[in-house]
Amino acid sequence: MKKLTYILLTFVFLSCKTEKKEIFQEYNGEMIKVEFDDSKTDSTLTGYGGEYYPNGNLKSLSYIKNGEPTDSLFYYYENGKVKEKGLVENGFQTGWWIYYRKDGSIKEKFEWLTLRDSLYKNQSIYFDENGEIEYKNSSYFNLKIPDTIQIGKNIASFNYNSNIEVYKKLMYVVIENKYSENEIKLDTFGIKDNDLRFGVFGHKKGKQNIKGQIVEELYEIQKIGNDSASGTIRNHIKYFEKVVYVSDKNN
């Protein structure tokens, strides 16, 4: 998926309008004033800006710093209700974005990551019109890593909802464990019979960033004629990261 460069073009166009326009709008729980300064160029524009519908309602809104969208970005329906919202960082969507229907109900939630300078959809949760999760369409996980772990070996776990149906699949967790200042290992933990546990090593007292991957190894079979078939193997990966505190005292 592409970087959100088109957003900047929107703000440049509005900053060149001959008529100065301002509007008051709620932004992250506060009322702010959206104002355009014709004397500013795209590289120096700083403040709240966005695009408007012909009826005067906002179509998009973000905080612009030196011409770049930062912080939260909102898109709106023409009726004024939020269409989608989330954070932007270095021109990319990042973290959880929420998408709404025209009546204001939540339609879906996606978690976006930036991998190798491209957007990656890490998790997706879909909702029906009653606000219930559509599990067969959703792909997400819930980490169960304590905020405080002990020095040495620790047990963590997770819940997982998959929307992938294939001939056969295996699941495992890969953790980047640091055992000393000079020793970092990628430990792999196989998942069997819904025992969704893996090991985390506490290196030393203080804050520690835990990074890992949940991998579904997918085996797919495609029939060719009546008596033959071909198979493919691919990996579906979800990334996770959490900062914890490592204690040298037992609970």
Side-chain angles (χ1 to χ4, degrees):
M1 301 188 72
K2 295 183 179 180
K3 193 174 180 180
L4 299 175
T5 51
Y6 64 88
I7 297 171
L8 181 56
L9 295 177
T10 295
F11 293 112
V12 171
F13 171 78
L14 288 173
S15 67
C16 296
K17 291 174 68 70
T18 57
E19 180 182 354
K20 190 173 182 180
K21 183 175 184 178
E22 62 184 42
I23 189 172
F24 289 89
Q25 177 72 29
E26 184 177 344
Y27 183 84
N28 290 338
E30 297 182 4
M31 295 301 296
I32 56 93
K33 182 172 70 172
V34 187
E35 184 176 336
F36 300 97
D37 188 342
D38 295 343
S39 65
K40 298 289 184 68
T41 66
D42 62 317
S43 61
T44 61
L45 176 64
T46 295
Y48 297 100
E51 184 181 4
Y52 293 89
Y53 286 107
N55 65 3
N57 288 340
L58 276 173
K59 189 174 184 179
S60 63
L61 172 64
S62 183
Y63 183 77
I64 311 300
K65 185 175 182 180
N66 297 327
E68 290 286 343
T70 61
D71 197 61
S72 299
L73 173 61
F74 290 77
Y75 289 104
Y76 301 91
Y77 288 106
E78 198 165 358
N79 64 7
K81 290 186 178 295
V82 177
K83 183 177 182 180
E84 57 188 81
K85 66 179 181 180
L87 293 175
V88 175
E89 187 175 285
N90 298 322
F92 286 103
Q93 295 163 284
T94 185
W96 282 99
W97 273 62
I98 306 176
Y99 303 82
Y100 299 86
R101 298 182 179 89
K102 286 186 177 181
D103 63 2
S105 61
I106 296 178
K107 181 180 179 182
E108 55 208 21
K109 294 171 64 176
F110 297 157
E111 184 194 27
W112 297 102
L113 304 179
T114 302
L115 300 177
R116 295 177 291 276
D117 203 34
S118 296
L119 274 178
Y120 182 82
K121 187 189 293 184
N122 197 46
Q123 301 187 71
S124 57
I125 305 177
Y126 294 87
F127 299 86
D128 63 23
E129 294 183 354
N130 296 318
E132 300 294 329
I133 295 176
E134 296 181 345
Y135 292 100
K136 66 178 181 179
N137 297 322
S138 301
S139 179
Y140 65 94
F141 61 89
N142 291 311
L143 284 179
K144 295 183 178 180
I145 303 177
D147 294 332
T148 300
I149 64 175
Q150 307 301 314
I151 290 180
K153 295 180 179 179
N154 297 265
I155 299 297
S157 64
F158 63 101
N159 292 330
Y160 193 88
N161 186 82
S162 177
N163 61 353
I164 301 175
E165 293 291 337
V166 292
Y167 170 73
K168 181 182 178 181
K169 62 182 173 182
L170 301 176
M171 179 179 287
Y172 53 91
V173 176
V174 180
I175 292 290
E176 186 178 295
N177 275 324
K178 186 174 184 178
Y179 292 93
S180 70
E181 292 300 327
N182 300 316
E183 184 182 14
I184 298 176
K185 291 184 178 180
L186 292 178
D187 293 330
T188 301
F189 299 86
I191 302 299
K192 293 183 178 180
D193 301 324
N194 292 321
D195 184 8
L196 308 180
R197 295 185 296 174
F198 57 93
V200 173
F201 192 84
H203 167 47
K204 65 179 181 180
K205 183 177 180 180
K207 289 184 178 181
Q208 179 173 318
N209 191 21
I210 298 173
K211 298 172 65 176
Q213 304 173 15
I214 302 171
V215 183
E216 288 182 286
E217 191 170 279
L218 308 172
Y219 296 80
E220 299 175 287
I221 301 295
Q222 182 180 4
K223 288 187 177 181
I224 303 176
N226 296 324
D227 55 357
S228 61
S230 65
T232 59
I233 301 175
R234 63 185 176 92
N235 288 339
H236 179 75
I237 302 175
K238 295 194 181 302
Y239 299 86
F240 65 84
E241 190 170 347
K242 180 177 180 179
V243 176
V244 300
Y245 181 79
V246 181
S247 172
D248 59 357
K249 298 180 181 179
N250 294 323
N251 293 329

